Amino acid sequence: MTPPSVKTPPRAPRRRGVFRLVAVLLLVLGAALAGPAPTAQASVSLTRVTSFGSNPGALTMYTYRPAGLPAGAPVVLALHGCTQSAQVYADNSGLPELADRDKFLLVLAETTSANNPNKCFNWFQSTDNRRDQGEALSLRQMAGHAVSALGADPARVYVTGLSAGGAMTAVMLATYPDVFSAGAVVAGLPYDCTKDNSPYTCMNPGVDLGPAEWAKRVRDAFPAYAGPWPRVAVWYGDQDTTVVPRNATELRDQWTAVHGLSQTPTRTSAIGPDSTRHDEYVAADGTVAVEVNRVPGINHGTPVDPGSGAQQCGSTGAPYFLDSICSSYWIAAFFGLAGPGTGPGSLPAPTGLAVTGATTTSIGLSWNAVSGATDYVVQRDGGPVGTASGTSYTDTGLAPGTSHTYTVAARDAQGAAGSPSGTLTAATTGTAASCWTSSNYAHVQAGRATTSGGYAYAKGSNQNMGLYNTFVTHTLKESPTGYFTVADAGCP
């Protein structure tokens, strides 16, 4: 991320002079750190959308629509980094090739030097990082246009971005949790860090706040909202000196606290050719609510892995695209876009899918090998949960006493998934979660929630349930004993 320059609305003369001085200082420092401008040749054909709303942030909208895109496809909103453009991001991030493979609509937003001299999204300005104003509203309008005019699925709207685009991704997840199902922040920052800090302090050395305070800043972005909250993936180079890796930890603290989860990972593994550390924070229903990926040996940029392999994508043809791991591949998988039956692969369905064991929190699976398979994609309850290089997989972090359905599909060397196997139903051991549907007043009286400042909060998770009265009703799930989460979408 190039240190941001400030787009300043009219203010009183004295303050206007101060902000002009800050803008000049930031621009000079930004030029020193930006490096050479991107020089990649355009290779991806984008379509400009000239009318998508009132566009108060003065942004530009482009789309990439894969051939054969079905009606009701998912949509991914992608936000470039400072000094970049929508075209550069499309040409190098790997997202268009994944859109071709997994059949989703790609929307690329672009800011200009008129908005910010370094072409950064203005994630740090209150005029642009609040709900229903400035750049945040422009981006929300792009997502809305993708649904209303381009036929995308409103239940599968996602956002990702690099650096300033990553910080703006956090803005969109906080200000529009009712729009975005999930997001991926690449080398970005926690939402509203600049509430009481300068952008530079937030970037390096970073700001250390407690999880509860970080979560409050998200909830304050849309106080009337009670969930469900977007799932969040975080990506960082462990040698980043521009937006330091502390921000990965603070992002983790912010979003695990929003989801009412511990800051200790449920499970940790190594992924990709460089053994990226992959920490997962699993909700009570078994879904990965937050994940943090720390890429070894790289500085500031989007991790890519050029090539034609199943888990490769992207190009290093422009600055800030770093040869390591194809982050876009893993982001698409986190969004639930890369799964059995979504690709053009011709490999047959695996046979013999069976349960090899179960505990209170895990289910083991095995199946017969498919000739020509590079790896296998495992789906749980209709969404991908992982890949396996062999013919077995253990699904962990599940809730006790819960039943799940599984399928598995083989992928070829190009990453195309073949036909999925037959569906297998399996269950963890133990007792299922208990659920109650009552008014906020009744939940507090029963000890399932607490009250503070006129609002009710789920006991344990501390999720904001809205006003403490008899008119607001929620379903609460208890798992484990004494720990309650809002489960209006379904329980258990």
Side-chain angles (χ1 to χ4, degrees):
M1 177 187 295
T2 304
S5 298
V6 178
K7 179 180 69 178
T8 311
R11 289 181 172 88
R14 181 179 179 184
R15 295 189 68 188
R16 184 163 60 240
V18 171
F19 274 87
R20 283 174 178 165
L21 177 61
V22 171
V24 170
L25 176 62
L26 293 178
L27 179 56
V28 170
L29 291 175
L33 293 179
T39 57
Q41 296 295 316
S43 59
V44 176
S45 179
L46 303 180
T47 299
R48 181 172 179 177
V49 178
T50 56
S51 179
F52 56 86
S54 60
N55 191 19
L59 303 180
T60 304
M61 176 179 177
Y62 295 90
T63 62
Y64 177 78
R65 190 180 188 94
L69 187 72
V75 58
V76 175
L77 175 62
L79 312 178
H80 63 77
C82 296
T83 75
Q84 296 180 338
S85 65
Q87 187 69 64
V88 165
Y89 205 59
D91 289 344
N92 294 278
S93 66
L95 285 168
E97 58 201 271
L98 289 164
D100 286 335
R101 180 192 305 176
D102 299 324
K103 301 305 179 190
F104 59 84
L105 176 66
L106 181 60
V107 173
L108 298 111
E110 183 175 277
T111 187
T112 66
S113 56
N115 281 358
N116 181 292
N118 289 314
K119 296 189 67 178
C120 306
F121 289 100
N122 289 310
W123 56 273
F124 50 90
Q125 292 193 158
S126 59
T127 51
D128 288 299
N129 66 12
R130 296 295 189 260
R131 185 177 173 90
D132 294 341
Q133 62 187 60
E135 292 180 3
L137 180 54
S138 291
L139 295 171
R140 191 267 176 265
Q141 289 174 343
M142 291 184 194
H145 185 83
V147 171
S148 63
L150 304 180
D153 182 353
R156 293 186 293 168
V157 180
Y158 309 96
V159 58
T160 185
L162 163 67
S163 193
M168 204 67 191
T169 293
V171 169
M172 300 311 294
L173 295 173
T175 56
Y176 294 101
D178 52 335
V179 173
F180 296 95
S181 298
V185 179
V186 183
L189 298 100
Y191 174 67
D192 213 15
C193 180
T194 52
K195 175 182 179 180
D196 43 16
N197 298 281
S198 76
Y200 285 102
T201 300
C202 292
M203 291 161 57
N204 188 349
V207 174
D208 183 15
L209 297 179
E213 173 58 27
W214 279 129
K216 182 178 184 300
R217 297 188 181 199
V218 170
R219 296 190 184 103
D220 286 349
F222 188 9
Y225 188 71
W229 294 97
R231 299 165 56 246
V232 181
V234 178
W235 283 82
Y236 258 85
D238 68 0
Q239 303 299 310
D240 196 332
T241 56
T242 303
V243 182
V244 295
R246 167 186 267 182
N247 285 291
T249 301
E250 302 305 315
L251 277 161
R252 177 208 63 189
D253 289 355
Q254 184 168 63
W255 288 99
T256 52
V258 167
H259 281 276
L261 300 176
S262 166
Q263 283 71 59
T264 301
T266 307
R267 53 183 178 245
T268 296
S269 59
I271 60 173
D274 55 359
S275 296
T276 289
R277 175 172 169 166
H278 180 67
D279 292 336
E280 296 176 290
Y281 301 81
V282 178
D285 64 358
T287 60
V288 178
V290 179
E291 68 172 36
V292 180
N293 302 276
R294 300 179 190 270
V295 185
I298 68 167
N299 202 308
H300 187 69
T302 297
V304 296
D305 184 14
S308 58
Q311 298 181 4
Q312 291 183 291
C313 72
S315 166
T316 57
Y320 308 117
F321 295 95
L322 308 177
D323 193 353
S324 49
I325 179 176
C326 174
S327 56
S328 293
Y329 165 84
W330 293 96
I331 288 168
F334 178 77
F335 289 166
L337 304 179
T342 62
S346 59
L347 292 177
T351 59
L353 181 60
V355 177
T356 57
T359 69
T360 56
T361 59
S362 67
I363 294 173
L365 305 169
S366 68
W367 55 89
N368 297 327
V370 172
S371 178
T374 299
D375 62 6
Y376 300 85
V377 181
V378 180
Q379 277 201 334
R380 182 216 312 133
D381 301 329
V385 293
T387 59
S389 58
T391 57
S392 64
Y393 181 81
T394 300
D395 190 17
T396 59
L398 304 175
T402 54
S403 180
H404 303 278
T405 60
Y406 292 92
T407 60
V408 61
R411 292 194 301 191
D412 59 26
Q414 285 70 50
S419 300
S421 68
T423 301
L424 172 72
T425 301
T428 55
T429 58
T431 304
S434 300
C435 303
W436 292 268
T437 300
S438 299
S439 70
N440 282 354
Y441 175 83
H443 282 310
V444 170
Q445 296 304 305
R448 296 186 290 268
T450 60
T451 182
S452 176
Y455 288 86
Y457 296 87
K459 187 176 180 180
S461 70
N462 202 38
Q463 290 177 293
N464 188 333
M465 299 162 56
L467 292 173
Y468 170 50
N469 59 32
T470 59
F471 303 104
V472 180
T473 298
H474 286 295
T475 298
L476 291 183
K477 177 172 64 177
E478 183 180 16
S479 180
T481 302
Y483 189 95
F484 296 86
T485 54
V486 177
D488 294 338
C491 191

